[in-house]
Amino acid sequence: MAYKITTDCTGCGICEEQCPHGAISESSELFDIDSEICNNCGDCQEICPQEAIVSR
């Protein structure tokens, strides 16, 4: 299962800090999850206060 960050993201950065693999990085406007690095642990989805991280 892969994750993606939706436009509900407010750019708080909590997901980037929480990711144990460094798969989340800030892009031009929001954050992105690198599917090559992500191991689908779900930590980012659990911590997101805006519920902006969803499984694809």
Side-chain angles (χ1 to χ4, degrees), residues 1-5 33-36 38-42 44-45 53-56:
M1 169 182 6
Y3 291 93
K4 72 173 191 172
I5 300 175
I33 299 174
D34 185 333
S35 61
E36 296 291 318
C38 177
N39 79 339
N40 301 312
C41 68
C44 59
Q45 186 179 38
I53 301 175
V54 296
S55 58
R56 295 183 197 206

Side-chain angles (χ1 to χ4, degrees), residues 24-56:
I24 301 174
S25 61
E26 192 169 6
S27 65
S28 59
E29 292 183 22
L30 301 174
F31 285 83
D32 280 325
I33 299 174
D34 185 333
S35 61
E36 296 291 318
I37 300 172
C38 177
N39 79 339
N40 301 312
C41 68
D43 288 354
C44 59
Q45 186 179 38
E46 293 175 14
I47 197 82
C48 181
Q50 300 301 318
E51 298 180 355
I53 301 175
V54 296
S55 58
R56 295 183 197 206

